[in-house]
């Protein structure tokens, strides 16, 4: 048997948890359905989406204000808070800062891009 499975391993970098994504309910439902089609949880799908952005680095646009929904809220649904590596998180934070938008808005734009390309 190669190696000792009980050996103490060097500390792995802790993943960084990104904020939950507040989003329109219809988009949340579409993203969850797309994740299911791919055999992923919404959390895993968001983490993969952020990791893909870290490679692509397509600039974000300015903040787009959503219309208020029937319940008076713009973003009535929540997508989970994915964990990504610190390097991936830094790229997302940097790109959001360059665009002058919040991390939540950057995540919404990533979900929008994903939904657009899946059509």
């Amino acid at each position: 048997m190669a190696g000792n499975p009980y050996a103490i391993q060097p500390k792995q970098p802790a993943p960084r948890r990104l904020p939950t994504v507040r989003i329109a309910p219809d988009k949340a439902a579409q993203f969850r359905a797309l994740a299911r089609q791919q055999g992923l949880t919404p959390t895993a799908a968001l983490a993969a989406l952020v990791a893909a952005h870290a490679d692509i680095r397509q600039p974000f646009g300015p903040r787009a204000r959503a219309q208020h929904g029937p319940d008076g809220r713009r973003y009535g649904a929540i997508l989970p808070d994915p964990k990504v590596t610190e390097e991936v998180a830094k790229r997302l934070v940097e790109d959001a800062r360059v665009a002058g938008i919040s991390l939540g808005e950057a995540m919404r734009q990533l979900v929008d891009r994903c939904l657009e390309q899946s059509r």
Side-chain angles (χ1 to χ4, degrees), residues 13-27:
R16 176 162 172 192
R17 187 171 292 278
L18 296 173
T20 56
V21 182
R22 295 191 171 283
I23 195 163
D26 60 325
K27 289 183 181 182

Side-chain angles (χ1 to χ4, degrees), residues 82-102:
K83 289 181 184 176
V84 297
T85 65
E86 190 63 36
E87 181 181 326
V88 166
K90 282 181 184 176
R91 290 179 182 174
L92 182 69
V93 168
E94 179 182 304
D95 292 344
R97 189 175 300 132
V98 166
I101 59 174
S102 69

Side-chain angles (χ1 to χ4, degrees), residues 2 4 12 14 25 30 40 51-52 56 58 67 70 77 79 89 91 107 118:
N4 180 351
Q12 298 298 313
Q30 289 171 24
L40 298 170
I56 299 167
Q58 179 183 349
Q67 299 301 312
L79 291 175
R91 290 179 182 174
M107 298 285 285
S118 71

Side-chain angles (χ1 to χ4, degrees), residues 5-92:
Y6 291 104
I8 296 173
Q9 300 297 317
K11 184 176 179 180
Q12 298 298 313
R16 176 162 172 192
R17 187 171 292 278
L18 296 173
T20 56
V21 182
R22 295 191 171 283
I23 195 163
D26 60 325
K27 289 183 181 182
Q30 289 171 24
F31 187 78
R32 289 176 192 281
L34 184 61
R36 257 191 319 274
Q37 287 174 359
Q38 302 294 320
L40 298 170
T41 64
T43 307
L46 276 174
L49 191 55
V50 173
H53 171 76
D55 290 335
I56 299 167
R57 306 289 296 264
Q58 179 183 349
F60 291 112
R63 181 175 181 202
R65 285 205 173 268
Q67 299 301 312
H68 287 284
D71 61 357
R73 294 184 294 177
R74 285 185 180 96
Y75 306 118
I78 295 177
L79 291 175
D81 48 346
K83 289 181 184 176
V84 297
T85 65
E86 190 63 36
E87 181 181 326
V88 166
K90 282 181 184 176
R91 290 179 182 174
L92 182 69

